[in-house]
Each structure stands twice: as structure tokens, then as C-alpha cells.
Amino acid sequence: MPALPASPLGGDALDHLGVRLHEGGGTLRVWSRNASSVELVVFDEDDLDWETATLPLERQTAGIWEVTSELLRPGTRYALRVDGPLGPGNVFNSETLLLDPYSRGLAQGGGYQEWRSVVIADGFDWGDVRKPAVPMDETVIYEGHIKGLTKRHPGVPAALHGTYAGLAHPAMTDYLTQLGVTSVELLPVHAFVPEPRLLERGLTNYWGYNTLNFFTPHAAYATEAARRGGPEAVLAEFKGMVKLLHQAGLEVILDVVYNHTSEEGLGGPRSSFRGIDNALYYRQLEDGAYVDTTGCGNTLDTSADAPARLVLDSLRYWATEMQIDGFRFDLATSLARDGGHEYDPEHPLLRAIAEDPALADVKIIAEPWDVGLGGWQTGNFPAGWSEWNDRYRDRARNFWLSDIDYARRASAPVGVGGFANRLAGSANTYSPERGPLASVNFITAHDGFTLHDLVSYDVKHNEANGEHNRDGADVNRSFNHGVEGETDSPGILTTRRRAMRNLMGTLLLSAGIPMITAGDEFGRTQKGNNNAYCHDSPLTWLNWSHEPWQRDLLAHVTLLTRLRAENRALRPARYAVLGEHVPEASEMEWFDQNGETMAAEQWNDPRHRTLQYVATSDPRDGESNRILLIVHGTEAPIDVRLPEGLDGATVFTSLWSSADEAPRAEQRRYAPGEVLPIAGTSMQLFRVE
């Protein structure tokens, strides 16, 4: 790989941390401002309890410790021993063996905490394969778990089930490209460990939000052959996966967890950061008590240079050496808290990530909240960042589910205005400078109900998690349509399927960047569990054996992604401004069920939940594109008159309807002013010609 440009964060003293190989061995550099001594401990390659050498590191400037040795060569297993003063914030223990925070490889012994760092010689033949560089407006994200995606896939060889290599198998790349997604977003693949409390209950941390090391791919996701080959082989398999996905035109986005580590609260596991310099790696009060804005026991203190630089260096490594295309930042608000633990949209780390030349070609996505005071920051991240849009999620769920549930008992509580705003790109959330592509739209995610369960359960069913159903979100904006969970009622099943189509149609026809949760495209279930983080089992693995209705739903989603790609009007990069020409924006017009321009009083009137939305793309390359989307948000059917006042419109060609159980092959043509019968709670898309 080419040399990285200078880092914009932390200064030269923090360059080249970890092991750097050179002729005659390697140099190890470790940061610890409060340590009084640091030792390098070298181990036998096969027996990780057999210390073969111990070397002291010399103190340099700015808290850097350094040693050069011929023992630091590819494959060397090593650890650190760090000693220092006692007192509030410091928890040094010279007997504890610690991981180098910049380890490129890890080896595990027989026990829970028997980890050793491994020296890795980076290198891989990428050939002529380059990153796909999918434009933001064309991006369709597919969020999935590396193991869950292929563990039960019949087209993937058994030896590759649940692995990096399995995801790169043609059975998966063909499926993903045919589905029409452009970017696979993987739940955490940084090396992680399960929490001891889960192990005590016979469970595990399946999702992986408990990071042990920020530079090493999780070895358990590699094939057995690669694991036997050691950390170098695991690394090669990961890079091979990225290369093959790129060859298929698919981007790889990583869900990264830099907000906390697996060391938990004080008294928890001591594996790396806590033993190296607890007082400066973690947020805490003057008495040493942790400031926990993550709900996981600790919070990395990115207001300090070295921890912030660690995050940036990890990102640069994955973006360059591993060729990753983007990052989704878990609890990103925690990363942007200042020295007083308050959110700062101009935080140096946020700016550095958005401005670093080494990250110029990657997608940067924030989960814009954490659990601390002032933690909810949707819409408040700076330029260069996209965000998970929970306001979009909630409004879409309300419109198609909660409002319908309420209307069955009384009448619909709100009109169509709020839903229309989300459909058009959430201009009330994001600034004009950021535009609709700041919004990553989603209906579901790994955390919460699946799409199937969202329309099948009113309440969560998390008893199997061992926390007496206290964990997981209580407010889900879901609707079981009359029966909780599984049912044989044809009427309820029909209504549920239409609700799923409405939600997926909303997602894929909205301005912004859509994110599909793996398996939603064919209606997978987790039996009402909305917090299945601790289950590595068929409950969370995708089931690739589908019933006819699931194949129909998959056909709908595949058609919708194709229609999104073909119709530029659905993918504006900027917000339109009334009376102005805005490049890359779609001009929007809004009509009621009578084909008349929407009146101001209709937007929020609960009696008016039918909308005709017309979007016309900016005529780039001399060509324009125009679509009409009809949204009907009540269960009673209605007659809708197509607009007659659209300049130049002579024909409306039907492209898709959520009222159809399976996508209709026939494209019917309608004239302006023609009256169409519209089924209850449904959507229809037309191309305007």
C-alpha cells in the first residue's frame, strides 16, 4: 500500500505506535504518560505461557515508550507489563500481561483472558481490484452479521458457513447483487470477547459490541483452516473477502465500536487500556469513578490526544491496508464529547475523520446518540457525516402501524404531513448544506424487531435473554394486526404482508440512503425477541428456506431496488428550493386524492391521509426523470384522481404496487385525470411521461 499522508490529529510524537518492522527486527512504540516502566514480554509461539524474553522499553517524549529488537519479527507473540503510581484514576499492576493497543494480530491461549499480541507483516496482492466507490445517492446498504448471513446458506460450502470466506462465496455475492444492494454493512468484526456475565448464563455476545482490539479482525469468523494457520492467515482471509466483494461491485462498510472497550467498569477484565494508562484512556471523575455514556461500563476519552489518535489510526489502517469502504460509528455521540463530557459538533476527532486525506474515499455514518446527558444528536453532526435517522424510522412505523392500530379504536391521530417530510428527505432535520444524503433511512436494524416481527408483535418477547424480559426497547411502534405472534388467520396474514410491503416501499422510495436489515427482504423472524444480541443460534442466523409469501416479498424488494436505481428522481442529493433551480435536487409537487394541489390545512388533518407525490429530477446530461407515488394511509379503500396539471405529462405508467401479493409484470398506462381504485393502506408508483 502507498504511504499514508500525515495524520491531522495528535502530532508527530504519536506516529508509528505499535510494531514497525525493519531490517534486523522491529521497533515497538507504546503510549503511556503515567507509567513508570514498560516491559516487552516475548512468548513461545506454541506455548503462550512460556516467556522466552523480557526487554525494557525506554521513555521518550510525550508519553512514548520504545524498544527495538531482533525478536520483533513476523509471528512473534508478545505482551506488555506496565507499572506506575497508585492513586485516583491509576490502576497499574506490574504482574498483568497486556495487549498492545495497536496489535495487528492476536493469539488466544486456553483461558478467557489469555491473549497475546502478534507481530504481523502487512501485505496482500490486491491485483487490479479497486474500491467500487458507489456514489452516495446510488448507495443501498445491507446490514448483516458475518456469521448469521451464511451459517445456514445451502449454496455455501459447509466449511465456509459463518465465515469471511463464506460471505465472499458466489452464492452470496450473486444474491446480493441480484437483490440490488450496493454496500454490505457488517456488524462488528474488530476482535471482541463476550462479557463474563453472559458466559455465566451460558450465552455469548453475538453482535460483537465488546471490542478487545481495534486493529485485528475477529478470528472466530475465519474458516477453521485459516484459524489453524494463525493470525496472518485470518488476516489474509479477511482481505480476500473484501477483494472478492469488490470484484462483485459490492462495498464493505464496518460497524465500529470505538466508544468503549471490553474492559467494562472498574473491576472488570484488565486486558489492555486499563493497565497501560487508565487515567487517560477512559473518561472519569477526579476520584477515578468512570463517566459512562455508553451503558457498557466505560467510555473511551477521545477528548485526549492519544485515545482520539488511536481511533483515527485504526480507521486509516482499515481504510487503506484492509480497503474498507466505510464505517458506521456505534454511539458516535460519545466520540464527540469534550473534556467536560458534553457533545461538541466541532470536536477535533469528528473534523479529523471527515477531513483526513486517508479517509477521503470512505463513507462516514454516525449512530447519533449515546446514553449520556444530551446524548440524542440526530441532525447535529457536521458536514461530511451521514447519520442513522431514528426520526425517519419512528415516523414510518407510526404511519403504517401505530396510526392504523389507533384508527381501529378511534380514528387516525395525525395526517400525512410528517410522513411526507420523511419521504422527501427529512429537510426539517438536516441543514440545506448537508442535504438528504445526510439521512441513512431505516425501518429496522440489528437492534430491535425484524420487519416480520414489527407487524406481528405488539410487545417484546425477550425471556430467552435471561433478564426477565427487562432488556430491549419497550416502545417499538409495532402492531400485531389483531393476534400476538404466529397465527393461521388468512386475513391477518394478508394484512401483515401488505404492511411489510408498505414499509419496504417507503424505505426504498424515500430520498436519502436506505438501509435494509439482512433477512427483512424475505420476512425473517426472531420470534418477537427485539434484543437478540446474546444468541448465536438459529434464532439469529438467516434461514434461506423460504415459503411462497417470502419469495414474493423478496421479489418486491428486488423490484424496488431496481426502480430506485432506474429513477433518478427518487435519489436527490440536494433539497429543492421553491422557485429556484437547485442542481442535483428533485423538484417536488404534492396533490391530494382529487388530483388537486395539497392545501395547507390538509397536511396535518387526520382525515386526509392520502397523498400524491410527484418528483422531477434535475436534468443532468440533458435528461430528466419524473415519478408519481400515491400513498394511502387508511384501511378503507379510496378512489384517486391522477393529476391533470403536470406540465408535459401525458401518461402515467404503473411500476409497482404494495397491494399486489407478487409484483405485477404488466405495466398499465393511465391518462391524466383518470380515476384509480386504491386499496386500503397501500402505495403505488408510476413513471410520468
Coordinates of all heavy atoms in Angstrom, one line a residue, residues 636-689:
A636 N -59.5 1.8 4.7 CA -60.7 1.9 3.8 C -60.1 2.2 2.4 O -59.3 3.1 2.2 CB -61.7 2.9 4.2
P637 N -60.6 1.5 1.4 CA -60.1 1.8 0.0 C -60.6 3.2 -0.4 O -61.6 3.7 0.2 CB -60.8 0.7 -0.8 CG -61.9 0.2 0.0 CD -61.5 0.3 1.4
I638 N -60.0 3.7 -1.5 CA -60.4 5.1 -1.9 C -60.2 5.2 -3.4 O -59.4 4.4 -4.0 CB -59.5 6.1 -1.1 CG1 -60.1 7.5 -1.3 CG2 -58.1 6.0 -1.6 CD1 -59.4 8.6 -0.5
D639 N -60.9 6.1 -4.0 CA -60.7 6.4 -5.4 C -59.8 7.6 -5.5 O -60.0 8.6 -4.8 CB -62.0 6.7 -6.2 CG -62.8 5.4 -6.4 OD1 -62.2 4.3 -6.4 OD2 -64.1 5.5 -6.5
V640 N -58.8 7.6 -6.4 CA -57.8 8.7 -6.5 C -57.8 9.1 -8.0 O -57.7 8.3 -8.9 CB -56.4 8.2 -6.1 CG1 -55.4 9.3 -6.5 CG2 -56.4 8.0 -4.6
R641 N -57.9 10.4 -8.2 CA -57.9 11.0 -9.5 C -56.4 11.5 -9.8 O -55.9 12.3 -9.0 CB -58.8 12.2 -9.6 CG -58.9 12.8 -11.0 CD -59.8 14.0 -11.1 NE -61.2 13.6 -10.8 CZ -62.0 13.1 -11.6 NH1 -61.6 12.9 -12.9 NH2 -63.2 12.7 -11.3
L642 N -55.9 11.0 -10.9 CA -54.5 11.4 -11.2 C -54.4 12.9 -11.6 O -55.4 13.4 -12.2 CB -54.0 10.5 -12.4 CG -53.8 9.0 -12.1 CD1 -53.5 8.3 -13.4 CD2 -52.8 8.8 -11.0
P643 N -53.3 13.5 -11.2 CA -53.2 15.0 -11.5 C -53.3 15.3 -13.0 O -52.8 14.5 -13.8 CB -51.8 15.3 -11.0 CG -51.5 14.2 -10.0 CD -52.1 13.0 -10.6
E644 N -54.0 16.4 -13.3 CA -54.1 16.8 -14.7 C -53.2 18.0 -15.0 O -53.0 18.4 -16.1 CB -55.5 17.2 -15.0 CG -56.5 16.0 -15.0 CD -57.9 16.4 -15.3 OE1 -58.2 16.4 -16.6 OE2 -58.7 16.8 -14.4
G645 N -52.7 18.7 -13.9 CA -52.0 19.9 -14.1 C -50.5 19.8 -14.2 O -49.7 20.8 -14.1
L646 N -49.9 18.6 -14.5 CA -48.5 18.4 -14.5 C -48.0 18.8 -15.9 O -48.4 18.3 -16.9 CB -48.1 16.9 -14.3 CG -48.2 16.5 -12.8 CD1 -47.8 15.0 -12.7 CD2 -47.3 17.3 -11.9
D647 N -47.1 19.7 -16.0 CA -46.6 20.3 -17.2 C -46.0 19.1 -18.1 O -45.1 18.4 -17.7 CB -45.5 21.3 -16.9 CG -45.0 22.0 -18.2 OD1 -45.8 22.1 -19.1 OD2 -43.8 22.3 -18.3
G648 N -46.5 18.9 -19.3 CA -46.0 18.0 -20.2 C -46.4 16.5 -20.0 O -46.0 15.6 -20.7
A649 N -47.1 16.2 -18.9 CA -47.4 14.8 -18.6 C -48.6 14.4 -19.4 O -49.7 15.0 -19.5 CB -47.8 14.7 -17.1
T650 N -48.4 13.3 -20.1 CA -49.5 12.7 -20.9 C -49.8 11.3 -20.5 O -51.0 10.8 -20.8 CB -49.1 12.6 -22.4 OG1 -47.9 11.9 -22.6 CG2 -48.8 14.1 -22.9
V651 N -48.9 10.6 -19.9 CA -49.1 9.2 -19.5 C -48.5 8.9 -18.1 O -47.4 9.4 -17.8 CB -48.5 8.2 -20.5 CG1 -48.7 6.8 -20.1 CG2 -49.2 8.4 -21.9
F652 N -49.3 8.1 -17.3 CA -48.7 7.6 -16.0 C -48.6 6.1 -16.2 O -49.6 5.4 -16.4 CB -49.7 7.9 -14.9 CG -49.8 9.4 -14.6 CD1 -50.8 10.1 -15.2 CD2 -49.0 10.0 -13.7 CE1 -51.0 11.5 -15.0 CE2 -49.1 11.4 -13.4 CZ -50.1 12.1 -14.1
T653 N -47.4 5.6 -16.2 CA -47.1 4.1 -16.3 C -46.9 3.5 -15.0 O -46.0 3.9 -14.3 CB -45.9 3.9 -17.3 OG1 -46.2 4.5 -18.5 CG2 -45.7 2.4 -17.5
S654 N -47.7 2.5 -14.7 CA -47.6 1.8 -13.3 C -46.3 1.0 -13.3 O -46.0 0.3 -14.2 CB -48.8 0.9 -13.1 OG -48.8 -0.1 -14.0
L655 N -45.6 1.2 -12.2 CA -44.3 0.5 -12.0 C -44.4 -0.5 -10.8 O -43.7 -1.6 -10.9 CB -43.2 1.5 -11.7 CG -42.9 2.5 -12.8 CD1 -41.8 3.5 -12.3 CD2 -42.5 1.8 -14.1
W656 N -45.1 -0.2 -9.8 CA -45.2 -1.1 -8.6 C -46.3 -0.7 -7.7 O -46.8 0.5 -7.7 CB -43.9 -0.9 -7.8 CG -43.9 -1.6 -6.4 CD1 -43.6 -2.9 -6.2 CD2 -44.1 -1.0 -5.2 NE1 -43.7 -3.2 -4.9 CE2 -44.0 -2.1 -4.2 CE3 -44.4 0.3 -4.7 CZ2 -44.2 -1.9 -2.8 CZ3 -44.6 0.5 -3.3 CH2 -44.5 -0.6 -2.4
S657 N -46.9 -1.7 -7.0 CA -48.0 -1.5 -6.1 C -47.8 -2.4 -4.9 O -47.6 -3.6 -5.0 CB -49.3 -1.8 -6.8 OG -50.4 -1.8 -5.8
S658 N -47.9 -1.9 -3.7 CA -47.8 -2.7 -2.5 C -49.1 -3.5 -2.3 O -49.1 -4.4 -1.4 CB -47.6 -1.8 -1.3 OG -48.7 -1.0 -1.0
A659 N -50.2 -3.2 -3.0 CA -51.4 -4.0 -2.9 C -51.3 -5.4 -3.5 O -52.1 -6.3 -3.2 CB -52.6 -3.2 -3.5
D660 N -50.3 -5.6 -4.4 CA -50.1 -6.9 -5.0 C -49.4 -7.9 -4.2 O -48.3 -7.5 -3.7 CB -49.4 -6.7 -6.4 CG -50.2 -5.8 -7.3 OD1 -51.4 -5.8 -7.3 OD2 -49.5 -5.1 -8.1
E661 N -49.8 -9.1 -4.0 CA -49.1 -10.1 -3.3 C -47.8 -10.4 -3.9 O -46.8 -10.6 -3.2 CB -49.9 -11.4 -3.2 CG -51.1 -11.3 -2.1 CD -50.6 -11.4 -0.7 OE1 -49.4 -11.7 -0.5 OE2 -51.3 -11.1 0.2
A662 N -47.7 -10.5 -5.2 CA -46.5 -10.6 -6.0 C -46.4 -9.5 -7.0 O -47.5 -9.0 -7.5 CB -46.5 -12.0 -6.7
P663 N -45.2 -9.1 -7.3 CA -45.1 -7.9 -8.3 C -45.8 -8.3 -9.6 O -45.7 -9.4 -10.1 CB -43.6 -7.8 -8.5 CG -43.0 -8.4 -7.2 CD -43.9 -9.5 -6.8
R664 N -46.5 -7.3 -10.1 CA -47.2 -7.5 -11.4 C -46.3 -7.2 -12.6 O -45.7 -6.2 -12.6 CB -48.4 -6.5 -11.4 CG -49.4 -6.8 -12.5 CD -50.5 -5.7 -12.5 NE -51.1 -5.5 -11.2 CZ -51.8 -4.4 -10.9 NH1 -51.9 -3.4 -11.8 NH2 -52.3 -4.3 -9.7
A665 N -46.3 -8.1 -13.5 CA -45.4 -7.9 -14.7 C -46.0 -6.8 -15.6 O -45.2 -6.1 -16.2 CB -45.3 -9.2 -15.5
E666 N -47.3 -6.7 -15.7 CA -47.9 -5.8 -16.6 C -47.7 -4.4 -16.1 O -47.9 -4.0 -14.9 CB -49.4 -6.1 -16.7 CG -50.2 -5.1 -17.6 CD -51.7 -5.3 -17.5 OE1 -52.1 -6.2 -16.6 OE2 -52.4 -4.7 -18.2
Q667 N -47.3 -3.5 -17.0 CA -47.2 -2.1 -16.7 C -48.4 -1.3 -17.4 O -48.4 -1.1 -18.6 CB -45.9 -1.5 -17.2 CG -44.7 -2.0 -16.4 CD -43.4 -1.3 -16.8 OE1 -43.3 -0.6 -17.8 NE2 -42.4 -1.4 -15.9
R668 N -49.4 -1.0 -16.6 CA -50.6 -0.4 -17.1 C -50.3 1.1 -17.3 O -49.6 1.7 -16.5 CB -51.8 -0.6 -16.2 CG -52.1 -2.1 -16.0 CD -53.3 -2.2 -15.1 NE -53.7 -3.7 -14.9 CZ -54.6 -4.1 -14.1 NH1 -55.3 -3.2 -13.4 NH2 -54.8 -5.4 -14.0
R669 N -51.0 1.7 -18.3 CA -50.8 3.1 -18.6 C -52.2 3.9 -18.4 O -53.2 3.4 -18.7 CB -50.4 3.3 -20.1 CG -49.0 2.7 -20.3 CD -48.8 2.4 -21.8 NE -48.8 3.6 -22.6 CZ -47.7 4.4 -22.8 NH1 -46.5 4.1 -22.2 NH2 -47.8 5.5 -23.5
Y670 N -52.0 5.0 -17.7 CA -53.2 5.8 -17.4 C -53.0 7.2 -17.8 O -51.9 7.8 -18.0 CB -53.4 5.8 -15.8 CG -53.6 4.4 -15.2 CD1 -52.5 3.7 -14.8 CD2 -54.8 3.8 -15.2 CE1 -52.6 2.4 -14.2 CE2 -55.0 2.5 -14.6 CZ -53.9 1.9 -14.2 OH -54.0 0.6 -13.6
A671 N -54.2 7.9 -18.1 CA -54.2 9.3 -18.6 C -54.4 10.2 -17.4 O -55.0 9.9 -16.4 CB -55.3 9.5 -19.6
P672 N -53.8 11.4 -17.5 CA -54.1 12.5 -16.5 C -55.6 12.6 -16.3 O -56.4 12.6 -17.2 CB -53.5 13.7 -17.1 CG -52.4 13.2 -18.0 CD -53.0 12.0 -18.6
G673 N -56.0 12.7 -15.0 CA -57.4 12.9 -14.7 C -58.2 11.6 -14.5 O -59.3 11.5 -14.1
E674 N -57.5 10.5 -14.9 CA -58.2 9.2 -14.8 C -58.3 8.8 -13.3 O -57.4 9.1 -12.5 CB -57.4 8.1 -15.5 CG -58.2 6.8 -15.7 CD -57.5 5.9 -16.8 OE1 -56.7 6.4 -17.5 OE2 -57.8 4.7 -16.8
V675 N -59.4 8.1 -12.9 CA -59.7 7.7 -11.5 C -59.3 6.3 -11.3 O -59.7 5.4 -12.1 CB -61.2 7.9 -11.2 CG1 -61.4 7.4 -9.8 CG2 -61.5 9.4 -11.3
L676 N -58.4 6.1 -10.3 CA -57.9 4.7 -10.0 C -58.5 4.3 -8.6 O -58.5 5.1 -7.6 CB -56.4 4.7 -9.9 CG -55.6 4.6 -11.2 CD1 -55.8 5.8 -12.1 CD2 -54.1 4.5 -10.8
P677 N -58.9 3.0 -8.5 CA -59.3 2.5 -7.2 C -58.0 2.1 -6.4 O -57.1 1.4 -7.0 CB -60.1 1.3 -7.5 CG -59.6 0.8 -8.8 CD -59.2 2.1 -9.6
I678 N -57.8 2.6 -5.2 CA -56.6 2.3 -4.4 C -57.0 1.5 -3.2 O -57.9 1.9 -2.4 CB -55.9 3.7 -4.0 CG1 -55.6 4.5 -5.2 CG2 -54.7 3.4 -3.2 CD1 -54.6 3.9 -6.2
A679 N -56.3 0.4 -3.0 CA -56.6 -0.5 -1.8 C -56.3 0.2 -0.5 O -55.4 1.1 -0.5 CB -55.9 -1.8 -2.0
G680 N -56.9 -0.2 0.6 CA -56.6 0.3 1.9 C -55.1 0.1 2.2 O -54.5 -0.9 1.8
T681 N -54.5 1.1 3.0 CA -53.1 1.1 3.4 C -52.2 0.5 2.3 O -51.7 -0.6 2.4 CB -52.9 0.3 4.7 OG1 -53.5 -1.1 4.5 CG2 -53.5 1.0 5.9
S682 N -52.0 1.3 1.3 CA -51.2 0.8 0.2 C -50.5 2.0 -0.5 O -50.7 3.1 -0.3 CB -52.0 0.1 -0.9 OG -52.9 0.9 -1.6
M683 N -49.5 1.6 -1.4 CA -48.7 2.6 -2.2 C -48.7 2.1 -3.6 O -48.7 0.9 -3.9 CB -47.3 2.7 -1.7 CG -47.1 2.9 -0.2 SD -45.4 2.8 0.4 CE -44.7 4.3 -0.3
Q684 N -48.6 3.1 -4.5 CA -48.4 2.8 -6.0 C -47.4 3.8 -6.6 O -47.5 5.0 -6.3 CB -49.7 2.8 -6.7 CG -50.7 1.7 -6.4 CD -51.8 1.5 -7.5 OE1 -51.5 1.6 -8.6 NE2 -53.0 1.1 -7.0
L685 N -46.5 3.3 -7.4 CA -45.5 4.1 -8.0 C -45.7 4.1 -9.5 O -46.0 3.0 -10.1 CB -44.1 3.5 -7.7 CG -42.9 4.3 -8.4 CD1 -42.8 5.6 -7.7 CD2 -41.6 3.4 -8.3
F686 N -45.6 5.3 -10.1 CA -45.8 5.4 -11.6 C -44.6 6.2 -12.1 O -44.0 7.1 -11.5 CB -47.1 6.2 -11.9 CG -48.3 5.6 -11.4 CD1 -48.7 5.8 -10.0 CD2 -49.1 4.8 -12.2 CE1 -49.9 5.3 -9.5 CE2 -50.3 4.3 -11.7 CZ -50.7 4.5 -10.4
R687 N -44.3 6.0 -13.4 CA -43.4 6.8 -14.1 C -44.2 7.8 -14.9 O -45.2 7.4 -15.6 CB -42.5 6.0 -15.1 CG -41.5 6.9 -15.8 CD -40.5 6.1 -16.6 NE -41.1 5.2 -17.6 CZ -41.2 3.9 -17.5 NH1 -40.6 3.3 -16.5 NH2 -41.8 3.2 -18.5
V688 N -43.9 9.1 -14.9 CA -44.6 10.1 -15.5 C -44.0 10.4 -16.9 O -42.8 10.7 -16.9 CB -44.7 11.4 -14.7 CG1 -45.6 12.4 -15.4 CG2 -45.3 11.1 -13.3
E689 N -44.7 10.3 -18.0 CA -44.2 10.5 -19.3 C -44.9 11.6 -20.1 O -46.1 11.9 -19.7 CB -44.2 9.2 -20.1 CG -43.4 8.1 -19.4 CD -43.7 6.7 -20.1 OE1 -43.0 6.5 -21.1 OE2 -44.5 6.0 -19.6

